[in-house]
Amino acid sequence: MHNTNLIAGDWIGSTSTFTSDPASGPGETFACGTPELVAQACSAAEDAFWTYGYTSREMRAGFLEAIADQIEARGDALTKVGTSETGLPAARLGGERGRTTGQLRLFAQHILDGAYLDQRHDAALPDRTPLPRPDLKLAQRPIGPVAVFCASNFPLAFSTAGGDTASALAAGCPVVVKGHPAHPGTGALVAEAVDAARRGLDLHPGVFSFVHDGGLAVGQALVQDPFIKAVGFTGSLRGGRALFDLCAARPEPIPFFGELGSVNPMFLLPHALAARGADIAKGWAVSLTMGAGQFCTNPGIAVLPVGDAATAFCTSAAQALRDVSPQTMLTPGICAAFRQGRDAIASVKGVTALIEMPADGRQVAPHLYQLDADTLAANPALAHEVFGPLGLIVTVNDIQRMTRLAQSLVGQLTATLHLHDEDQKDGDPLLRVLERKAGRVLVNGFPTGVEVAEAMVHGGPYPASTNFGATSVGTLAIRRFLRPVCYQNLPEGMADWATA
């Protein structure tokens, strides 16, 4: 395992180090990233773009496939390091590794048919009057080097070779990755896999670099480097917003594709609540606590009409959550933030605790609170994400109040409708609200987990993400790292790479 920084094919140390804080086993010492190493990586990425940005789709697809192969070859080592660093169970990491390699192979297949280029051709009309029309060809072209920030909660699928990296490399963009301090060994091992795939195909070494954490200065240097043309980020609202502002303040502003958090509300309509309330409550408990609640699609709020069925739902949900054993959170800092968020909610007048269980060190158990819509309206901070297994049950007097509550929410990654056939008429106006609030609207399901597929959207209006027209999951993610170019009167056979 390399404990240094991968800069354009070379593993390089630095004068300062940090020690990891694993969930089990001793900490490892890693060389910190530095602004100087970031500058070297970004310069090499720009140099690599002049060849990699003009490679064939077949070459890039082969690169992605080779990365997947190299990751799979390191499967046992990744599980060993990843479970130690994060506390995640081996089965979860094995599944995430499969998702990571699946994403890489999905993008490899996606680019081969060329449909992502969105080619358009308006043939010349030299005899048109009063003015002739030139020959016009449009194609999507890669934007240049991309910066990717690893996520804390997905050490593989949203990190070194995750969806951001896979889609950028598929588009033809070199990538500079900033590792996450919660899992530096896992990140470095995946970086080794990417570099091995690059070496096997004799690609420019600047196509991929990996810089370890080195404090705020490293992240700032990366988003402000003049060679970086876009940023992919998954993390906290505060950290993401700070980087977003830096991107906007550059002499050349660049797009910041940040996924910043969401409470992913569920709305239970009356007939569904009456017919399936207990089953929905049990399913919610599973979704709410999956991975210790450390999923960005964790459904933190359930909204339902007041009455006997609501009371039964609360009882069923509380019982299901009591049966969930304590789980290990990714870092002590995340657990501390969970306790802080929990305490803030519990202190609000009108909030009733249904379950409050210990959350010490890195261990956390579920928490459940109940309130009414008026309390939520008077305390909008209650609708902010608490990262972990914490749920709010919000009761409303009628469907109209439920719809107004939905209108008051900020942007979300997901929103869910639980409805019965008899609820569809009332659900339609609510659906119109939710499609403006979320990137993915579910019916009679639970949002935890994001299917990697052509039609998936993982993004939403701010603050769920910083660009409501983008997704970080699914093949549409490649569009973030492409831009349309129109070629006018281009001679036949010239620049075939643009439309091939």
Side-chain angles (χ1 to χ4, degrees):
M1 182 170 58
H2 293 284
N3 292 29
T4 52
N5 303 275
L6 175 64
I7 309 297
D10 294 321
W11 292 92
I12 302 175
S14 65
T15 57
S16 58
T17 62
F18 71 95
T19 301
S20 64
D21 187 10
S24 62
E28 292 277 346
T29 300
F30 294 87
C32 289
T34 67
E36 292 75 21
L37 291 173
V38 167
Q40 291 178 38
C42 294
S43 178
E46 172 67 11
D47 191 46
F49 180 75
W50 296 110
T51 52
Y52 187 70
Y54 302 89
T55 53
S56 68
R57 301 195 304 274
E58 291 76 14
M59 171 63 80
R60 297 197 302 279
F63 184 30
L64 296 173
E65 293 278 4
I67 295 171
D69 290 342
Q70 291 289 344
I71 289 173
E72 288 174 345
R74 291 162 174 77
D76 291 343
L78 283 169
T79 298
K80 180 179 179 180
V81 175
T83 53
S84 171
E85 289 186 326
T86 67
L88 295 172
R92 153 71 194 274
L93 281 172
E96 191 180 332
R97 184 174 69 250
R99 170 176 169 161
T100 304
T101 56
Q103 288 175 155
L104 289 158
R105 293 194 165 104
L106 175 65
F107 279 107
Q109 291 301 310
H110 179 66
I111 62 175
L112 285 177
D113 67 7
Y116 78 99
L117 293 170
D118 194 19
Q119 296 180 26
R120 307 179 188 201
H121 183 201
D122 294 308
L125 298 174
D127 299 325
R128 189 184 69 175
T129 58
L131 293 173
R133 184 177 77 187
D135 184 85
L136 302 171
K137 293 179 180 177
L138 179 149
Q140 300 285 339
R141 298 297 302 145
I143 59 174
V146 169
V148 171
F149 285 71
C150 290
S152 64
N153 58 335
F154 280 88
L156 297 173
F158 278 84
S159 291
T160 307
D164 289 345
T165 297
S167 54
L169 292 175
C173 299
V175 174
V176 179
V177 172
K178 178 192 170 297
H180 198 284
H183 44 77
T186 307
L189 195 55
V190 176
E192 178 187 274
V194 178
D195 193 54
R198 178 200 64 78
R199 291 176 184 273
L201 294 172
D202 196 27
L203 295 172
H204 190 294
V207 163
F208 178 85
S209 291
F210 175 87
V211 183
H212 277 294
D213 185 63
L216 295 176
V218 170
Q220 292 171 353
L222 185 53
V223 302
Q224 291 182 306
D225 191 281
F227 291 127
I228 295 296
K229 299 305 177 185
V231 178
F233 174 90
T234 300
S236 70
L237 174 59
R238 189 174 81 169
R241 182 57 199 246
L243 295 173
F244 172 83
D245 291 343
L246 286 174
C247 287
R250 287 174 35 142
E252 177 202 2
I254 59 172
F256 179 85
F257 298 104
E259 191 263 280
L260 308 182
S262 178
V263 293
N264 307 294
M266 304 192 313
F267 296 84
L268 284 68
L269 275 65
H271 291 92
L273 180 62
R276 300 183 283 109
D279 290 337
I280 296 172
K282 293 174 184 176
W284 183 40
V286 173
S287 186
L288 184 69
T289 59
M290 189 178 296
Q294 299 169 116
F295 284 75
C296 45
T297 50
N298 178 25
I301 294 180
V303 183
L304 53 155
V306 69
D308 292 342
T311 301
F313 178 89
C314 292
T315 301
S316 297
Q319 183 56 55
L321 289 171
R322 286 192 187 95
D323 293 338
V324 177
S325 300
Q327 296 172 277
T328 302
M329 299 199 85
L330 293 161
T331 69
I334 289 175
C335 197
F338 174 84
R339 293 194 296 269
Q340 183 178 11
R342 172 204 63 188
D343 293 344
I345 288 172
S347 67
V348 174
K349 184 179 180 180
V351 173
T352 300
L354 300 181
I355 299 177
E356 286 186 314
M357 301 177 73
D360 301 311
R362 287 172 75 157
Q363 292 292 303
V364 64
H367 291 63
L368 183 64
Y369 300 90
Q370 183 180 358
L371 61 151
D372 60 28
D374 291 340
T375 301
L376 182 63
N379 302 273
L382 290 171
H384 292 177
E385 180 185 32
V386 176
F387 197 57
L390 185 147
L392 300 181
I393 297 174
V394 182
T395 55
V396 297
N397 291 329
D398 50 42
I399 296 298
Q400 290 72 30
R401 186 67 180 92
M402 184 180 286
T403 302
R404 292 200 304 274
L405 187 155
Q407 290 172 331
S408 72
L409 295 175
V410 298
Q412 306 290 329
L413 293 171
T414 77
T416 300
L417 279 172
H418 287 280
L419 52 81
H420 210 273
D421 290 345
E422 292 88 343
D423 292 314
Q424 289 188 24
K425 183 177 179 181
D426 288 330
D428 190 62
L430 186 54
L431 176 61
R432 297 180 189 183
V433 175
L434 297 183
E435 74 169 11
R436 294 189 65 189
K437 295 291 181 177
R440 176 165 55 117
V441 181
L442 298 83
V443 176
N444 295 335
F446 299 96
T448 307
V450 183
E451 183 72 26
V452 180
E454 294 276 353
M456 178 53 65
V457 173
H458 190 59
Y462 185 86
S465 59
T466 55
N467 189 313
F468 60 79
T471 176
S472 61
V473 180
T475 54
L476 192 62
I478 197 173
R479 293 291 185 91
R480 298 174 298 170
F481 309 123
L482 298 165
R483 66 181 184 87
V485 177
C486 176
Y487 300 89
Q488 183 168 323
N489 291 333
L490 193 69
E492 195 69 30
M494 184 178 180
D496 286 339
W497 37 262
T499 54

